[in-house]
Amino acid sequence: MMSIETAREILDNGPQVSNEEFFSLEPRSAEYQATMALRDEALAVVSAEVDRQDAAELAACYTAAGRYDGRW
Amino acid sequence: MADPARADLIHITYDANGSGQGSDVIEAGAEIVDMRDWFDDYLASVDDDRLWIVEADRAYLLDDNQTTREEIRYDLAAREFAATLVTYAQDRLIESREAVTVAEGKLQAAVQDALEAGVSAVDLAARLGVSRARVYQIRDGRR
């Protein structure tokens, strides 16, 4: 799995190609598919990190409030 | 660490307003979610039979033994509510990690396709903004 830093960099800056170059690619071309797949993975990695933080924060908050002890 | 008050927003607002009026909301990422109805369901689900079991166990009674049935009911509901939210968040995390695995597989397949289609590793690396070595790592499913 790519690191969260790499994923954020990809989403912030994208693959190092100009828009003109990117949109000149055939949508069905292998390069286009690989580029989109890279962005999709970056998006999934960032989304997982957000969910990981959210779950950890919720557990920590409710534990601190005496409402959650890890048991159902 | 998140604001500790966040975890107790429901508790505070319900205590202060009785029926749950006011701004008892939980911040979840960028969303503001009103949990009142959901919490009310939990509170209603703690029926007298369950309370009787809890009281018999006395696990929820405070030291001064002045705890009322409604306080026990509220405490039990709040604990279950918290566990539900945490479980829900953990389930979402499992799903999002599965999505990462799927995305990894698609990227690997796309890179294999591109290389098999004759795109050079150098060009593909430049296109993706990664090193040529990384292109081969992705192709081979290595991390």
Side-chain angles (χ1 to χ4, degrees):
Chain A
M1 186 173 80
M2 72 174 66
S3 70
I4 183 66
E5 292 81 12
T6 300
R8 288 200 168 114
E9 190 179 324
I10 288 169
L11 291 180
D12 286 346
N13 303 318
Q16 300 304 305
V17 293
S18 66
N19 278 346
E20 187 179 76
E21 195 179 2
F22 178 76
F23 287 112
S24 71
L25 293 170
E26 279 290 321
R28 286 169 177 259
S29 77
E31 284 178 277
Y32 180 92
Q33 296 295 335
T35 306
M36 295 308 291
L38 184 74
R39 290 183 175 184
D40 285 348
E41 184 182 342
L43 194 59
V45 167
V46 170
S47 177
E49 174 61 14
V50 169
D51 286 342
R52 186 194 66 76
Q53 288 179 355
D54 195 42
E57 273 189 14
L58 271 177
C61 283
Y62 283 119
T63 300
R67 297 291 185 200
Y68 180 69
D69 59 8
R71 293 178 299 169
W72 173 244
Chain B
M1 179 64 68
D3 179 3
R6 175 185 173 212
D8 225 22
L9 275 176
I10 288 176
H11 179 73
I12 292 168
T13 51
Y14 266 77
D15 280 352
N17 300 295
S19 62
Q21 296 173 0
S23 58
D24 46 348
V25 293
I26 286 182
E27 185 179 351
E31 292 178 87
I32 302 296
V33 182
D34 189 335
M35 299 283 190
R36 282 175 296 187
D37 289 345
W38 196 5
F39 184 77
D40 285 342
D41 288 344
Y42 265 98
L43 207 51
S45 75
V46 184
D47 56 26
D48 285 345
D49 287 345
R50 290 183 63 203
L51 266 187
W52 186 86
I53 294 171
V54 171
E55 286 178 321
D57 186 47
R58 300 182 72 82
Y60 279 80
L61 295 185
L62 301 179
D63 292 340
D64 59 12
N65 266 351
Q66 299 300 307
T67 309
T68 67
R69 287 175 67 83
E70 286 314 303
E71 285 172 330
I72 298 170
R73 187 193 305 274
Y74 180 91
D75 190 61
L76 188 59
R79 287 173 187 276
E80 289 192 357
F81 189 66
T84 299
L85 292 185
V86 173
T87 302
Y88 179 68
Q90 289 170 340
D91 286 348
R92 259 199 343 230
L93 175 57
I94 290 170
E95 288 174 8
S96 60
R97 282 180 172 160
E98 288 171 352
V100 171
T101 302
V102 171
E104 278 182 327
K106 287 183 176 177
L107 177 59
Q108 183 182 4
V111 166
Q112 284 174 346
D113 287 347
L115 293 174
E116 286 171 11
V119 180
S120 77
V122 172
D123 288 346
L124 191 55
R127 181 76 69 197
L128 299 180
V130 299
S131 68
R132 191 180 60 162
R134 181 71 191 129
V135 167
Y136 291 126
Q137 283 180 337
I138 294 171
R139 180 197 64 183
D140 298 338
R142 289 183 283 130
R143 295 182 175 177

